[in-house]
Amino acid sequence: MSNSQSALKIYCRRSSFQRVAYFLRIHILKFLTSVYFRALSLPLIRNNSILPTFTKVYPCRPTLTNRVFIPKSYKPDDALLPLFLDIHGGGFAIMTPSSDDKFCSEFANKNKVLVVSIDYPKSPAHPYPAGVQAVTDIVKAILEDETLPFDKTKVAIGGFSAGANLSLAVSQDNSLQKKIGGVVAYYPPTNWTTTIDHKLATKPKDSPPDILEGNGPAFDWAYLKPGTDLEDPQLSVAFAPRDRLPQKLCIIGCELDLLCGDSEAMAERLANIGTGQRVGTEHVWEQNGVRWEKVLGEEHGMWRSGVRVAERREKMHTDVARWLFKEVYI
């Protein structure tokens, strides 16, 4: 993302001052998030009820540890489970799969779904397309893993923020065509060719300050090498051809998020390919295999604490599970 007024085609090299500022911001964020999640993993603080069933490393990516959640109610002689592949967020630079443990554990147990939370190499040490390539390799390894009790005809991938972008990017890969039935993309970045000013202009006028306005350019610097093609459909997934994506797509945006306008534009473009009629409301609708939901009054990541946000987040995940069983796990 850039503060330039014009539409962008390639990512340009930043000034020395900007590079130093972005470097410091990214590494401070890395340090703070690392300390936070290390604290949460301490024995007296750790929530053992949401830990994965086990972790797994695949030979294709031996430095990346993935977390496997098998529903606690599952018995070895039960029918094979639907599979949900989760990719965590963090601006492509921070966080780990453990940050999604609560979501993965609850989603697996409430819906009797096998969930695998996938790790990927972080920027700036591993800029685009390293994360896309790593997740693609791991997804292929999971789909070939005969030790996991899942039905290969019932596979979905999804994620949050950066992870949502990666889920839409990976599902376009030649090797995964027709192997993934659906994507669930929670508040993804979808288009690097639109400017910060354009993104901000799509928000309601009374929106609070956006957490991505300050951090977004630093995350972009870490993820994108100078000269990167910003119209690459595995980066700016808004440019993805419809026939390269899974048949079923669920895209969710937060109304007060500067990424929401681009996500909605992507959903609209894809939904208008075909002859199906739109059903639903202004803010939650389905058409031609695409489901769009705009969560009103919420910021990126629905990060604020409180009962209201927790209830809305739970309803959002319940609605996603219902959609998956209606459209993908059939």
Side-chain angles (χ1 to χ4, degrees), residues 128 132 136 165-166 168-174 223 231-237 240:
Y128 177 81
V132 176
T136 300
N165 172 276
L166 289 171
L168 289 161
V170 165
S171 60
Q172 299 175 53
D173 192 84
N174 286 335
Y223 191 51
E231 293 184 340
D232 181 341
Q234 285 192 294
L235 174 67
S236 289
V237 292

Side-chain angles (χ1 to χ4, degrees), residues 141-261:
I142 292 169
L143 296 182
E144 295 168 0
D145 188 345
E146 298 295 336
T147 69
L148 296 178
F150 71 92
D151 185 338
K152 292 184 179 181
T153 69
K154 298 179 180 181
V155 177
I157 190 171
F160 300 86
S161 192
N165 172 276
L166 289 171
S167 68
L168 289 161
V170 165
S171 60
Q172 299 175 53
D173 192 84
N174 286 335
S175 65
L176 295 175
Q177 292 299 298
K178 302 190 183 306
K179 294 182 180 180
I180 298 174
V183 177
V184 178
Y186 292 95
Y187 34 89
T190 60
N191 192 343
W192 269 265
T193 71
T194 56
T195 65
I196 282 281
D197 290 338
H198 171 84
K199 295 176 195 295
L200 289 170
T202 65
K203 296 177 57 175
K205 291 182 179 179
D206 59 349
S207 299
D210 198 299
I211 60 173
L212 294 181
E213 185 176 0
N215 289 329
F219 285 132
D220 291 349
W221 167 82
Y223 191 51
L224 304 175
K225 293 179 289 187
T228 298
D229 177 7
L230 298 180
E231 293 184 340
D232 181 341
Q234 285 192 294
L235 174 67
S236 289
V237 292
F239 292 96
R242 183 65 183 96
D243 61 1
R244 302 295 298 174
L245 292 164
Q247 290 187 342
K248 304 297 182 178
L249 303 171
C250 177
I251 304 174
I252 298 168
C254 296
E255 183 189 26
L256 306 182
D257 178 3
L258 63 78
L259 301 178
C260 188

